[in-house]
């Protein structure tokens, strides 16, 4: 394979992207252990429907960095060994056969209670197959990672997952509309934003570069799709080296325990704060406790996009 073709298969990963890999890996380890200890859970299902090649080149030193699929596969294989009376199923999908072939080189083999299914298709089409089957496997708990490369979300594909007992981690690429929406000319691009934000394009133009407006809209859509059931949604921002917000990881869970566990994983990965943002001064920041979303106390200080763990 030429270096040009190889660069198309193995993408580059900036430091904030590597932190995203670490956060997902850390959370999945805790999530899987907690569920496997539950007698009502017969097994777990992890779905990454836009998985890429599983490895990246660091933008810092050009070394190979393991991405989410490889990290999660290794972690869940250990879980399968520990809880050999329960099953672990993993679905990895990408629309590039070359990337899936690269990923397969780095994945562990299937075992009696551990299975990886790798497919090449549109990720949304895969979810439209899996989604209707969720109710038939009520004793299995799922985790869906939905990680598009831009602000393109198929809510029809996601809807069944918000209504089932499980978790969704959605990467909302908020920099995309904030950077481009006022400049859009092509009809297909306008349609993409309309589908993502459930709004006519003309109604989105006033959002301009206000990233919080796009984030609020996504959370409103999730609230409608989940119905009247109790549901926990939290957005964790990721910043680049210039402290510009690039994307939000939106964590959606049916259980309060998952809500708290994810925050604890973020504290661990980000060193006692909720994001990759770098502080320029020693200021007091937003402080959030571990209470219920409806009762937890939040005190706003100088940075509304940063949470700090109480010491």
């Amino acid at each position: 394979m030429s270096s040009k073709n190889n660069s198309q298969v193995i993408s580059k990963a900036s430091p904030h992207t590597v932190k995203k890999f670490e956060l997902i890996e850390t959370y999945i380890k805790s999530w899987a252990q907690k569920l496997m200890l539950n007698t009502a859970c017969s097994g777990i299902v992890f779905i990454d429907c836009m998985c890429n090649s599983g490895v990246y080149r660091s933008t810092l030193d050009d070394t190979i960095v393991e991405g989410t699929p490889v990290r999660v596969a290794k972690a869940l294989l250990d879980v399968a060994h520990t809880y050999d009376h329960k099953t672990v199923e993993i679905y990895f999908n990408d629309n590039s056969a070359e990337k899936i072939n690269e990923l397969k080189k780095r994945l562990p083999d299937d075992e009696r209670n551990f299975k990886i299914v790798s497919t090449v298709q549109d990720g949304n089409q895969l979810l439209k197959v899996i989604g209707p089957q969720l109710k038939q496997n009520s004793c299995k708990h799922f985790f869906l990672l939905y990680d598009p490369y831009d602000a393109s979300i198929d809510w029809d594909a996601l809807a069944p997952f918000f209504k089932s007992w499980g978790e969704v981690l959605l990467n909302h690429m908020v920099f995309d509309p904030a950077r481009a929406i006022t400049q859009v000319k092509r009809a297909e691009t306008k349609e993409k934003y309309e589908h993502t934000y459930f709004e006519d394009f003309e109604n989105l133009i006033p959002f301009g570069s206000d990233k919080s407006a796009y984030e609020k809209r996504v959370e409103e859509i999730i609230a409608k799709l989940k119905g009247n059931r109790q549901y926990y949604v939290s957005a964790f921002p990721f910043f680049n080296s210039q402290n510009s917000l690039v994307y939000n990881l939106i964590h959606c869970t049916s259980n309060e325990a998952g809500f708290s566990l994810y925050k604890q994983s973020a504290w661990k990965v980000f060193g006692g704060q909720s994001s990759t943002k770098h502080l320029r001064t020693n200021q007091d920041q937003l402080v959030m406790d571990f209470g219920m979303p409806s009762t937890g106390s939040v005190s706003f200080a100088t940075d509304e996009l940063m949470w700090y763990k109480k010491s």
Side-chain angles (χ1 to χ4, degrees):
M1 180 182 292
S2 69
S3 59
K4 180 179 180 181
N5 289 336
N6 193 54
S7 67
Q8 294 173 345
V9 174
I10 301 179
S11 308
K12 294 205 175 233
S14 55
H16 64 79
T17 302
V18 176
K19 279 297 181 183
K20 177 181 70 174
F21 302 154
E22 293 176 9
L23 173 57
I24 296 172
E25 176 189 17
T26 299
Y27 179 70
I28 288 299
K29 286 179 178 179
S30 300
W31 170 82
Q33 291 285 348
K34 194 171 189 67
L35 283 175
M36 289 303 210
L37 290 171
N38 188 334
T39 56
C41 175
S42 65
I44 55 177
V45 180
F46 180 90
I47 307 162
D48 184 347
C49 62
M50 303 166 183
C51 67
N52 213 306
S53 64
V55 289
Y56 296 76
R57 287 198 176 275
S58 169
T59 58
L60 293 179
D61 55 15
D62 205 40
T63 57
I64 291 293
V65 178
E66 291 182 346
T68 300
V70 176
R71 293 168 183 252
V72 167
K74 291 178 178 179
L76 292 185
L77 179 60
D78 288 341
V79 171
H81 288 164
T82 302
Y83 303 93
D84 59 3
H85 59 298
K86 299 189 176 186
T87 61
V88 174
E89 299 173 39
I90 301 175
Y91 292 85
F92 289 138
N93 176 81
D94 197 89
N95 58 11
S96 166
E98 290 79 10
K99 290 184 177 182
I100 287 295
N101 288 336
E102 183 68 31
L103 173 61
K104 285 181 176 179
K105 299 175 187 176
R106 304 168 189 274
L107 295 177
D109 294 330
D110 287 358
E111 298 188 9
R112 180 186 55 79
N113 66 328
F114 176 85
K115 182 179 181 181
I116 298 177
V117 178
S118 301
T119 55
V120 179
Q121 60 181 304
D122 178 83
N124 295 309
Q125 293 305 314
L126 174 65
L127 298 187
K128 288 174 182 178
V129 173
I130 296 176
Q133 302 174 1
L134 294 177
K135 292 183 179 179
Q136 304 171 19
N137 297 285
S138 58
C139 292
K140 292 184 179 180
H141 291 65
F142 74 85
F143 184 98
L144 167 61
L145 174 60
Y146 192 90
D147 193 358
Y149 68 92
D150 63 3
S152 182
I153 302 173
D154 187 332
W155 296 108
D156 289 337
L158 287 172
F161 294 88
F162 293 125
K163 298 174 182 177
S164 301
W165 187 261
E167 305 199 0
V168 176
L169 188 61
L170 190 160
N171 190 352
H172 177 209
M173 302 295 285
V174 70
F175 81 96
D176 175 9
R179 178 191 60 184
I181 209 160
T182 58
Q183 310 296 323
V184 172
K185 303 296 184 185
R186 299 175 61 183
E188 56 266 38
T189 306
K190 292 181 180 181
E191 187 175 326
K192 179 192 79 171
Y193 291 130
E194 288 179 336
H195 288 168
T196 293
Y197 298 107
F198 271 9
E199 282 284 3
D200 291 337
F201 185 77
E202 290 73 17
N203 295 332
L204 293 173
I205 293 177
F207 286 16
S209 60
D210 184 0
K211 295 176 182 178
S212 63
Y214 299 105
E215 186 60 41
K216 180 181 178 182
R217 182 62 186 146
V218 165
E219 293 181 10
E220 288 172 349
I221 294 170
I222 294 172
K224 290 181 180 178
L225 291 178
K226 61 88 175 174
N228 295 325
R229 60 199 294 262
Q230 190 174 44
Y231 207 61
Y232 303 85
V233 178
S234 57
F236 284 72
F238 279 70
F239 300 85
N240 62 20
S241 58
Q242 286 74 46
N243 273 355
S244 177
L245 177 61
V246 181
Y247 53 81
N248 283 299
L249 279 186
I250 305 176
H251 179 236
C252 312
T253 179
S254 307
N255 194 289
E256 179 196 355
F259 181 82
S260 295
L261 190 63
Y262 189 82
K263 284 193 292 182
Q264 292 174 41
S265 298
W267 304 148
K268 180 178 179 180
V269 170
F270 300 139
Q273 61 189 50
S274 69
S275 80
T276 57
K277 192 168 188 179
H278 302 289
L279 296 182
R280 294 192 174 94
T281 58
N282 293 323
Q283 301 170 340
D284 290 330
Q285 301 292 329
L286 178 66
V287 177
M288 188 170 188
D289 68 14
F290 290 110
M292 291 275 288
S294 59
T295 60
S297 61
V298 180
S299 57
F300 291 89
T302 59
D303 192 339
E304 62 183 9
L305 291 179
M306 180 81 85
W307 301 346
Y308 269 73
K309 187 177 180 181
K310 286 184 177 179
S311 59

